[in-house]
Amino acid sequence: METDKRELLRGLPAVDAVLREPVAGSLAERHGRAAVAAAVRETLGRLRGEILTGDGPQVTGEGVAVAAARLLEGRGLRRVVNATGVVLHTNLGRSVLSERAVKAVTAAATHYTNLEYDLLSGSRGSRYAHSAPLLREITGAEDALVVNNCAAATLLALSAVVGGAAGDGGEPEVIVSRGQLIEIGGGFRIPEVLELSGARLREVGTTNRTRLADYERAVNENTRAILWVHPSNFETVGFTESVGVADLAPLGLPVVADVGSGALLPLSDEPRVGGAVRDGASLVIFSGDKLLGGPQAGISVGAARWVEAMRRHPLARAVRADKLCLAALEETLRSYLEGTAPDELPTLKMLHAPAEEIEERARRLAAEIGDAVPDLAVDVVPSVARSGGGTLPTYEIPSRAVRLGGDAGWLADRLREAGPPVVGRVSEGGLWLDARTLLPGDEAAVVAAVAGAYGG
Ligand SMILES: *Cc1c(COP(=O)(O)O)cnc(C)c1O
């Protein structure tokens, strides 16, 4: 080994020495000494690796303590300020729950519940019995089932339909349009899910045009279902043609409609759950934490026969929803039933807040940042917010952003290190903090983060 590398390695501080640094001391008060020691050891290990591969820096005990602090603070699930303007930001956890949903979650988390207990008979009940009546009422479907997420619901629905429909023993087939063989994100691809369900994929039509006759020609004695998927995260424009659920239902096969976002109320051209039910889909599947504005969940509503087939399928146990999810979902659905959803659900409030309200919030925030850091260039600029989460890809929501001048990349890094971290968007002329996705309490956190970045 070269002598300078050996020098650098020898120069690395000992764990105990780093732990005596004041930074490490205050860190230990928050995270505990054991966690800080582990972070210091991890940081030293990384530095040793960097020295050995050739570009390790000379570090002090304080330097290691600061690096360990960053490591520790950036870890663990924690609150983040979403200043991206993307309402259903999948990486930032999609929907924020309503106050009443949070109360329901807290009650379910801190007490015993009748999760699987029938209070009328005093015997075993079903976790699915709580939200099903609400979903029936809201969507007009015969029955409903809630599982862990929409991807799980799609897999379960297809598995149940493929396994449960009559066939002559040949390889079961599911028909799907080539225009709907999509990837949702995180590696969730419709053709692969279909394969996993045990069905052979029967593709019909073309990427841009599929007609009813294409489906009709593909039906044979092995066909178990038609899968209709809402291509949520992209749009085809121009020379296009597709077939809706209403035209597929009369073919007499179960139609499984994965509508994705779970819009219960009108929003742009997003397909609505109730519409797909009325159009005759056997099963309509959607997410709980997208446009519905509830917890992560996969909801299936539809014909009693097929919902029951899903409930009985062995996979149902593997993808079941937990009590906290069910508590949050039930309370979120009550907001819809009572007609208060637009006023109570943060997701809907953010999507629908009038531009003037956002403008006012942005101006107030800009003024507060200007007061806190007088030398910083701050202005309010028109921006475009988006629904995100793979919904409404071309839907633009007029918004306002606070634009901060200076070195935007550097500032973005500092704001992500703040407590709570603030995530904005580096764009033309600076760091953009979109005011549409800020929640109550976020403004003060943003001001503190910017002031902190400039040593205030
Ligand atoms: C988002 C989406 C999914 C996946 O939903 P998760 O709840 O994230 O599992 C599945 N299908 C469609 C059409 C979607 O838009």
Side-chain angles (χ1 to χ4, degrees), residues 83-123:
T84 63
V86 180
V87 177
L88 299 168
H89 200 301
T90 297
N91 302 149
L92 302 184
R94 290 193 188 154
S95 280
V96 169
L97 296 178
S98 67
E99 260 173 57
R100 58 190 286 191
V102 170
K103 275 200 193 115
V105 170
T106 305
T110 51
H111 299 84
Y112 288 101
T113 64
N114 61 339
L115 179 66
E116 291 188 347
Y117 185 77
D118 183 351
L119 290 167
L120 287 181
S121 66
S123 57

Side-chain angles (χ1 to χ4, degrees), residues 94 149-151 184 188 229-230 232 258-260 287 289-290 297 390:
R94 290 193 188 154
N149 61 16
C150 184
I184 303 297
F188 180 76
V229 187
H230 174 47
S232 328
D258 176 5
V259 297
S287 277
D289 58 352
K290 292 185 183 172

Side-chain angles (χ1 to χ4, degrees), residues 126-138:
S126 163
R127 69 176 61 220
Y128 304 119
H130 308 293
S131 21
L134 302 172
L135 285 163
R136 284 201 295 265
E137 187 76 24
I138 293 168

